């Protein structure tokens, strides 16, 4: 899922389905409503009866944006199509995970719920129940603040942004960033919630710069997060952190990359380690390349692939594994951005363009 321009009404949500050989079986733009507002879908998971559930955002005439949820089948037929939020600021759902055929949890950022105003985001956790009316079972927001000296003391608010979500039994893990940390201007964040949306614990990680986690994954008794760390080994690097699920104690902190700007956008458990995808900077061509790495259980690289040397800038935004590794992203041709997807039979061997 993603966003396309020139669909029904300008910027629209975008649905693509490919089989494991890379053959395109669905290529369709979708909208919340037939108007000129901006729609985008940012994450997708499997749903009941061969369907899918995607989340994102939709701009509105009265405020910045609201969270958008769409359930659709492999032919692109829409079954559920609704908005979440409704505040006066920007609200965006950035990742989603399935609990059962009717229940899903989504993570995002809500700029309407933070008393600090439009410049301050709140971490946003939403439970979706497709058997209820309305479909939203709860919305929970996370903010931080402290009091600055003076009389009366003035509250200073912090930003939270939930960018990734994963489930392990009865526990929800979210990843993202916050200014409510102790390392730099933004710190990577992992937080653990129960299924009722109650915060159990959270921890921040990072360097003295502005760091973030885009995605989170769970496997066994561990939780992994991936993103970008500013003060890595070569400046801005792809960043992996592994922690215990129970108390979020950091077990390793790894930075990988080139001398340019590098980032991991998504991760998936693979063997005892991970496959992470994103982009890496190629200094020779002055372009970004799609980047995939495979790690062992300690975060050390066992494979490190730049997947093409094409003249375009290309990025990988998502990865999944079910016997095959599937990746998707975008490519810039010099005048247009296009969707870009490929399938690998194993990490590092691409079998279709």
């Amino acid at each position: 899922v993603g966003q396309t321009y020139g669909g029904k009404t300008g910027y629209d949500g975008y649905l693509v389905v490919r089989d494991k050989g890379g053959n395109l079986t669905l290529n369709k733009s979708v909208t919340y409503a037939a108007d000129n507002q901006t729609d985008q879908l940012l994450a997708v998971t499997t749903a009941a009866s061969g369907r899918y559930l995607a989340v994102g955002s939709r701009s509105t005439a009265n405020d910045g944006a609201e969270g958008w949820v769409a359930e659709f089948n492999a032919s692109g037929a829409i079954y559920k199509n609704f908005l979440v939020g409704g505040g006066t600021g920007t609200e965006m759902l950035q990742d989603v995970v399935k609990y059962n055929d009717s229940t899903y949890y989504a993570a995002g950022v809500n700029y309407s719920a933070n008393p600090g105003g439009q410049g301050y985001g709140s971490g946003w956790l939403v439970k979706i129940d497709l058997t209820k009316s309305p479909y939203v079972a709860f919305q929970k927001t996370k903010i931080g603040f402290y009091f600055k000296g003076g009389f009366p003391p003035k509250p200073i608010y912090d930003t939270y942004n939930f960018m990734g979500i994963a489930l392990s039994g009865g526990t929800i893990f979210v990843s993202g960033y916050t200014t409510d940390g102790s390392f730099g201007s933004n710190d990577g964040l992992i937080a653990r919630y129960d299924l009722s949306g109650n915060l159990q614990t959270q921890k921040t990680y990072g360097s003295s710069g502005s760091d973030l986690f885009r995605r989170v994954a769970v496997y066994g008794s561990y939780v992994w997060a991936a993103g970008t760390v500013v003060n890595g080994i070569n400046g801005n690097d792809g960043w992996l952190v592994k922690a215990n699920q129970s108390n979020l104690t950091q077990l390793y902190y790894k930075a990988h990359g080139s001398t340019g700007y590098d980032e991991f956008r998504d991760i998936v458990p693979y063997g005892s380690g991970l496959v992470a995808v994103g982009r890496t900077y190629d200094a020779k061509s002055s372009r970004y390349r799609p980047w995939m790495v495979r790690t062992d259980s300690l975060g050390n690289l066992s494979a490190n692939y730049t997947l093409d040397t094409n003249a375009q800038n290309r990025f990988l935004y998502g990865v999944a594994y079910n016997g095959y590794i599937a990746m998707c992203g975008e490519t810039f041709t010099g005048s247009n951005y296009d969707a870009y997807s490929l399938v690998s039979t194993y990490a590092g061997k691409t079998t279709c363009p």
Side-chain angles (χ1 to χ4, degrees):
V1 298
Q3 184 184 60
T4 183
Y5 180 73
K8 294 180 179 179
T9 57
Y11 285 101
D12 298 336
Y14 189 36
L15 308 178
V16 169
V17 177
R18 290 183 182 270
D19 63 22
K20 67 182 181 180
N23 302 301
L24 188 66
T25 60
L26 177 66
N27 183 9
K28 183 178 181 179
S29 65
V30 293
T31 63
Y32 171 74
D35 53 26
N36 290 320
Q37 303 300 326
T38 297
D39 302 319
Q40 61 176 343
L41 293 172
L42 297 174
V44 63
T45 187
T46 56
S49 305
R51 299 176 187 176
Y52 306 90
L53 187 118
V55 299
S57 69
R58 177 234 175 24
S59 69
T60 62
N62 298 323
D63 53 43
E66 295 182 33
W68 178 28
V69 181
E71 184 192 30
F72 63 97
N73 66 12
S75 299
I78 303 294
Y79 291 87
K80 301 284 193 306
N81 190 16
F82 58 94
L83 299 180
V84 185
T88 58
T90 296
E91 300 146 355
M92 181 183 302
L93 295 174
Q94 301 180 108
D95 199 11
V96 63
V97 65
K98 177 182 177 180
Y99 179 68
N100 57 38
D101 282 350
S102 62
T103 307
Y104 305 81
Y105 292 89
V109 61
N110 187 321
Y111 284 91
S112 301
N114 195 313
Q118 278 297 306
Y120 299 86
S122 300
W124 196 22
L125 178 63
V126 176
K127 180 181 179 182
I128 299 164
D129 188 340
L130 299 182
T131 66
K132 306 284 182 158
S133 181
Y135 300 123
V136 177
F138 67 65
Q139 301 182 57
K140 303 282 187 174
T141 55
K142 171 62 180 174
I143 63 172
F145 68 92
Y146 60 94
F147 287 99
K148 190 175 181 179
F151 186 83
K154 180 182 178 181
I156 305 297
Y157 292 92
D158 287 297
T159 287
Y160 278 79
N161 188 327
F162 293 167
M163 306 181 80
I165 190 167
L167 275 173
S168 179
T171 304
I172 303 165
F173 293 92
V174 296
S175 63
Y177 69 86
T178 181
T179 59
D180 186 18
S182 57
F183 296 97
S185 55
N186 288 341
D187 292 343
L189 168 75
I190 304 175
R192 193 181 74 223
Y193 286 82
D194 65 22
L195 295 180
S196 298
N198 300 307
L199 178 64
Q200 296 176 327
T201 188
Q202 70 175 50
K203 285 208 171 180
T204 58
Y205 314 79
S207 70
S208 59
S210 181
D211 312 316
L212 60 85
F213 291 133
R214 293 191 179 275
R215 287 293 187 261
V216 63
V218 292
Y219 183 73
S221 59
Y222 305 111
V223 55
W224 285 273
T228 303
V229 61
V230 171
N231 294 323
I233 55 174
N234 292 303
N236 289 55
D237 290 331
W239 186 29
L240 300 173
V241 166
K242 180 180 181 180
N244 285 318
Q245 286 193 24
S246 58
N247 55 15
L248 302 184
T249 298
Q250 178 180 295
L251 300 176
Y252 72 61
Y253 172 128
K254 297 288 185 178
H256 303 290
S258 67
T259 57
Y261 185 94
D262 310 300
E263 63 176 344
F264 291 133
R265 287 281 188 144
D266 200 8
I267 51 175
V268 65
Y270 186 90
S272 61
L274 297 171
V275 168
V277 301
R279 65 174 177 172
T280 185
Y281 186 72
D282 179 8
K284 289 183 179 180
S285 64
S286 300
R287 296 185 183 277
Y288 287 102
R289 302 299 184 200
W291 185 32
M292 177 175 68
V293 304
R294 187 175 69 238
T295 77
D296 62 18
S297 61
L298 301 177
N300 301 307
L301 296 186
S302 54
N304 185 4
Y305 295 100
T306 300
L307 294 177
D308 68 43
T309 57
N310 199 288
Q312 297 106 359
N313 285 305
R314 283 180 171 171
F315 322 122
L316 290 173
Y317 290 156
V319 62
Y321 175 70
N322 186 16
Y324 289 79
I325 296 170
M327 295 158 281
C328 64
E330 71 179 10
T331 178
F332 182 63
T333 62
S335 58
N336 294 297
Y337 285 95
D338 293 324
Y340 173 64
S341 58
L342 54 89
V343 175
S344 175
T345 53
Y346 60 90
K349 178 63 175 178
T350 56
T351 57
C352 70

